[in-house]
Amino acid sequence: MELATKYDPTEVEGKWYQYWLEHGLFRSKPDGREPYTIVIPPPNVTGVLHLGHMLNNTIQDILVRRARMMGKNACWVPGTDHASIATEAKVVAKLAAENIHKSDITRDEFLEHAWDWTHKHGGIILEQLKKLGASCDWDRTCFTMDEKRSGSVIKVFVDLFNKGKIYRGVRMVNWDPEALTALSDEEVIYKEQQGKLYYLRYKIEGDDGYAVVATTRPETIMGDTAMCINPNDPKNRHLHGKKVIVPLVGRVVPVIDDDYVDAEFGTGCLKVTPAHDVNDYMLGEKYNLPSIDIFNDDGTISEAGGIYVGMDRFDVRTQIVKDLAAAGLLEKEEDYTNKVGFSERTDVPVEPKLSMQWFLKMEELAAPALVAVMDDTIKFYPAKFKNTYRHWMENVKDWCISRQLWWGHRIPAYYLPGGGYVIAETKDAALLLAREKSGDDSLTLADLRQDEDCLDTWFSSWLWPVSVFDGINNPDNEDINYYYPTNDLVTGPDIIFFWVARMIMSGFEYRNKPCFYNVYFTGIVRDKLGYKMSKSRGNSPDPVGLMDKYGADGVRMGMLLSSPAGNDLPFDETLCEQGRNFNNKIWNALRLVKGWEVADLMPQSNAAYVAVTWFDARLAAAIRQLGDELGKYRISEALMTVYKLFWDEFSSWYLEMVKPAYQQPIDGVTYKATLAFFEKLMLMLHPFMPFITEEVWQSISERKPGESIMTAPTPCAENEDEQLVVDFEVVKQIVAGVRSVRLERNIPNKETLVLHVVSGEHHHKYDAVITKMCNLESDVRTGKDASAASFMVGTTEYAVPLGSAINVEEEIKKMEQEIIYLEGFLQSVMKKLGNEKFVANAKPEIVANERKKQADAESKINTLRESVAKLKECV
């Protein structure tokens, strides 16, 4: 095969992805092999690829490809999430642009629009993942609202209700006034806001005085039904048993005593608004206070508010402050910083609101899920997230699972005409239960009214590892028994509660097993300045555009170069450029090797034999290191191991050692070994950079149709020789020393030199390599010419005779400066060794290392002094 002059990812990547698809290399079916399973964190069905997806799916692909090459039956299940709030918001906006309001159409009509939107925009992100090289089994693609997944969700709801774990009731919930739905606690993001603390005057009934309340929310006073003071607060004791009048509203409310109140905050008086504050709600329940809901669902003031009806809550805040001031009921206002809850989806401040909702009891479900993580049945990488998980699980609250939306899984609750409700998987089953419950056999489906609400999106995705294998509907099918539990989950720490914890719970509830064994938490992708990347900030590059520019392999490498587990990724586009440069380095190395003329009968040179033996040992050490790093989920470090091995050891050293002279052939033995090394390097690199490695692997030797590097076995660590690898580092230093002499003296590379060993130990068995790499006249000799330029490698002195080329005075000056440096270094070592506490308390190996530093420095100083003395004789 003739190799192209330049590597062009646009030609290569699409070609090989299609090849993999055509030969079914991503497909997985149960067989006798060990399974390896990953389920994709399902992206929003109408979403597009962003850098977070790129990082997450690159890591998943690395793990899957690695498992496949280890002979496992690798199965990566793709899919998408229906994303209730996000998708419904997009559909509502689309309809609004067409002058259609959601309230003007029926639920079924709206769902038709939602499905049209999903079919039109859904699946784009999966196609983009293919461009990245994701080796998913696309035949297994799931959607959280497809038939099997929807059936699973409804079945689980009915089951948990029948177990007494799902209940319906009026509770204080987080209300999103833009999405017009309740949210779970985990969907609320708290942000610091600069606001005001307003001091309001409440007239004491039957008294000329006022009680002053400090509040950040004066717009809620229309819902006040009490004032509360701390019984142990002496400054407010005069208010005990009194009543106060709510300003502007005129409502008379009691003053109650409760040690919940912080006497040090504000004035120590608290306005109690049970319908619009979680803590006030608890006080209302405790003291049987009325609740007045003053807000409409969209955040405007309701008729119950009495004043400012129809105005937006924040407009009311501005107006009511003016009105309070005008009425002499605003004592003062102060700047104040507090944390305000925002909707995770719509980014508007949430409103605490009393609402009838459906809840799932969590305490019992959480118990086995907490133990599994804390005893490392399920391991977190990095482990620091165990504490975050433990804190949440030990303080878990019931999950509000209902949403006031139409797009999603409709709650299977059916209300009877005479009151009450039944829960069933189907309408027909509901009718049977309704007749039984009511005792009225004449009831028809038309008499039943299904609950209007949908289930929280996470209520479907928490079943994902089980439902993708249809383990809820068919709990004993072949797939679930073979692929479950899955092996690894790759996700972000921001959804550890939304998704990870809940999946673990559902796994134990429905399979009595963990749903996965390892969780790898990626970091958050940030720009160079540390800001989180987002469309709104305009600092997030288009991933598809990056792949078009640098190739998928280049972008994959760029994402991984600085993304250790759990740490934020400071993304810089130059990293992708570095990835593209690595592609070019690999391609140029292949063209170099493939361009050599091979003489099969030519004997192998000693230098080539040494080079092959060394790189074989170096490769074995790197293979072992790679396996260790991947086993510990140190993905970035693993890539760097292969990167350095190829760039530094293989390209910069090995190929230079075996490269034949200009227009000369290479012997067959060395050439065959070089191709074998190249192939092993590609096998090591393949999980990280699948496209170029496939192209190179196919080019190294002839392959059969359907063969792929994807299914080639990962290389094993053979011919390990630690001592040889250590010895060769010394060889590199010798070569570097000679090259430094050339550079400093401007001696051309084509001019041969002589190298002397002046003192110390030298292994002559590597001389052939040193001679070739340094362009020496002959093997390394002993002795020293007075005009020689010397350098140290460890405690061994080497010298390159220079004849008239040496400047004796400059050489003496350089050596004397080196002696001064070494004497200072020796002094610091001796000071440490002279410290009795250090010698007595430090580990023996540390003390031994310091003594070695002392011996080495003393040896180098003596050698340099001798060299200076010899040179001075020449002056």
Side-chain angles (χ1 to χ4, degrees), residues 759-800:
S759 63
E761 187 180 4
H762 174 76
H763 297 293
H764 285 281
K765 61 183 176 182
Y766 304 118
D767 282 0
V769 167
I770 296 169
T771 300
K772 180 174 182 179
M773 297 293 282
C774 298
N775 192 17
L776 302 180
E777 286 181 12
S778 60
D779 286 353
V780 182
R781 305 172 186 173
T782 55
K784 181 178 180 183
D785 189 295
S787 68
S790 65
F791 59 88
M792 303 291 294
V793 174
T795 56
T796 303
E797 183 186 8
Y798 292 90
V800 179

Side-chain angles (χ1 to χ4, degrees), residues 410-646:
R410 192 171 180 180
I411 290 175
Y414 299 85
Y415 299 94
L416 281 62
Y421 59 86
V422 293
I423 305 293
E425 290 182 41
T426 65
K427 290 181 179 180
D428 289 339
L431 181 58
L432 291 174
L433 287 173
R435 287 172 175 171
E436 183 182 326
K437 185 169 185 173
S438 65
D440 183 357
D441 288 340
S442 67
L443 283 179
T444 66
L445 284 175
D447 297 320
L448 302 183
R449 178 179 60 83
Q450 188 175 353
D451 198 302
E452 292 290 324
D453 290 353
C454 278
L455 287 161
D456 180 6
T457 300
W458 297 104
F459 195 83
S460 54
S461 49
W462 82 313
L463 305 173
W464 193 244
V466 181
S467 67
V468 294
F469 299 115
D470 203 23
I472 300 294
N473 298 316
N474 297 292
D476 199 34
N477 76 74
E478 184 183 25
D479 275 4
I480 192 72
N481 288 334
Y482 180 74
Y483 291 114
Y484 188 95
T486 68
N487 294 76
D488 298 326
L489 176 74
V490 181
T491 188
D494 51 331
I495 55 173
I496 191 170
F497 311 128
F498 286 126
W499 195 43
V500 179
R502 291 169 178 167
M503 279 193 292
I504 296 172
M505 292 182 209
S506 74
F508 281 105
E509 179 69 15
Y510 287 101
R511 301 299 299 176
N512 201 28
K513 290 178 183 176
C515 47
F516 32 69
Y517 290 112
N518 304 289
V519 182
Y520 179 102
F521 291 107
T522 63
I524 294 170
V525 183
R526 300 185 183 276
D527 66 15
K528 288 185 285 186
L529 299 175
Y531 292 112
K532 184 176 179 180
M533 286 194 168
S534 66
K535 285 182 185 176
S536 59
R537 197 181 287 275
N539 62 349
S540 181
D542 171 28
V544 175
L546 288 174
M547 288 190 283
D548 288 339
K549 187 175 180 181
Y550 300 106
D553 284 335
V555 179
R556 285 167 70 116
M557 182 173 176
M559 295 294 297
L560 289 167
L561 279 176
S562 57
S563 58
N567 291 342
D568 288 354
L569 164 64
F571 181 76
D572 186 344
E573 196 170 317
T574 56
L575 295 172
C576 297
E577 191 175 348
Q578 189 176 342
R580 182 179 62 187
N581 292 344
F582 188 40
N583 272 340
N584 293 335
K585 182 78 170 179
I586 294 167
W587 192 249
N588 290 337
L590 179 67
R591 290 186 69 245
L592 172 71
V593 173
K594 281 290 194 173
W596 291 337
E597 181 188 344
V598 183
D600 288 322
L601 300 178
M602 177 179 163
Q604 186 181 39
S605 69
N606 192 23
Y609 171 77
V610 172
V612 168
T613 307
W614 162 70
F615 192 75
D616 204 14
R618 182 66 190 84
L619 184 66
I623 289 169
R624 185 169 294 282
Q625 183 181 350
L626 177 69
D628 179 65
E629 286 165 344
L630 287 173
K632 293 173 181 173
Y633 295 85
R634 292 164 58 180
I635 312 289
S636 296
E637 292 91 332
L639 171 59
M640 193 53 68
T641 293
V642 189
Y643 174 78
K644 288 180 177 177
L645 179 68
F646 189 94

Side-chain angles (χ1 to χ4, degrees), residues 157-207:
F157 184 96
V158 173
D159 176 64
L160 291 172
F161 177 82
N162 290 336
K163 289 175 177 174
K165 292 179 179 178
I166 285 179
Y167 63 93
R168 183 172 182 259
V170 175
R171 299 287 186 276
M172 180 69 71
V173 297
N174 306 292
W175 185 263
D176 183 332
E178 184 168 313
L180 302 178
T181 181
L183 305 172
S184 68
D185 291 344
E186 291 70 44
E187 290 169 295
V188 179
I189 309 298
Y190 287 89
K191 302 180 187 179
E192 274 200 354
Q193 298 288 298
Q194 300 298 320
K196 298 280 187 182
L197 195 59
Y198 302 94
Y199 288 76
L200 314 185
R201 291 176 174 172
Y202 287 62
K203 190 170 190 319
I204 303 168
E205 188 184 41
D207 196 319

Side-chain angles (χ1 to χ4, degrees), residues 92-334:
V92 168
K94 172 189 172 286
L95 292 174
E98 299 167 4
N99 290 319
I100 302 172
H101 296 284
K102 180 184 171 185
S103 56
D104 296 337
I105 58 176
T106 66
R107 184 188 193 112
D108 287 341
E109 287 170 336
F110 179 83
L111 289 177
E112 278 186 38
H113 287 287
W115 277 111
D116 286 345
W117 176 270
T118 299
H119 292 141
K120 183 178 178 182
H121 298 280
I124 292 173
I125 193 167
L126 299 184
E127 292 304 309
Q128 292 174 326
L129 286 177
K130 291 177 183 178
K131 187 175 178 68
L132 179 66
S135 58
C136 303
D137 184 348
W138 299 108
D139 294 342
R140 291 181 174 273
T141 302
C142 298
F143 175 45
T144 50
M145 275 183 63
D146 65 25
E147 188 177 347
K148 287 182 179 177
R149 263 46 64 181
S150 293
S152 301
V153 169
I154 300 305
K155 197 176 192 74
V156 164
F157 184 96
V158 173
D159 176 64
L160 291 172
F161 177 82
N162 290 336
K163 289 175 177 174
K165 292 179 179 178
I166 285 179
Y167 63 93
R168 183 172 182 259
V170 175
R171 299 287 186 276
M172 180 69 71
V173 297
N174 306 292
W175 185 263
D176 183 332
E178 184 168 313
L180 302 178
T181 181
L183 305 172
S184 68
D185 291 344
E186 291 70 44
E187 290 169 295
V188 179
I189 309 298
Y190 287 89
K191 302 180 187 179
E192 274 200 354
Q193 298 288 298
Q194 300 298 320
K196 298 280 187 182
L197 195 59
Y198 302 94
Y199 288 76
L200 314 185
R201 291 176 174 172
Y202 287 62
K203 190 170 190 319
I204 303 168
E205 188 184 41
D207 196 319
D208 291 336
Y210 289 88
V212 178
V213 167
T215 179
T216 58
R217 301 203 64 195
E219 69 274 16
T220 63
I221 62 172
M222 293 85 80
D224 288 1
T225 56
M227 178 183 284
C228 191
I229 59 173
N230 191 310
N232 303 311
D233 180 8
K235 68 179 181 291
N236 286 315
R237 195 167 289 149
H238 67 287
L239 295 172
H240 177 73
K242 298 287 182 72
K243 292 183 178 181
V244 294
I245 302 169
V246 180
L248 298 183
V249 178
R251 183 184 305 121
V252 178
V253 298
V255 176
I256 58 175
D257 299 60
D258 197 285
D259 55 13
Y260 161 73
V261 177
D262 180 0
E264 302 303 316
F265 177 78
T267 62
C269 295
L270 176 77
K271 65 189 278 303
V272 183
T273 318
H276 299 293
D277 181 275
V278 174
N279 297 309
D280 290 9
Y281 173 69
M282 291 164 61
L283 286 171
E285 290 281 287
K286 187 174 179 179
Y287 295 99
N288 199 25
L289 300 172
S291 286
I292 305 171
D293 185 350
I294 66 163
F295 287 124
N296 294 315
D297 288 349
D298 62 358
T300 57
I301 302 299
S302 69
E303 293 288 342
I307 51 178
Y308 310 108
V309 175
M311 285 180 66
D312 180 77
R313 53 189 172 150
F314 295 117
D315 293 337
V316 172
R317 181 180 297 178
T318 303
Q319 186 60 46
I320 202 169
V321 169
K322 292 177 183 176
D323 294 347
L324 286 164
L329 298 173
L330 177 68
E331 184 157 299
K332 62 177 179 176
E333 54 184 87
E334 298 173 344

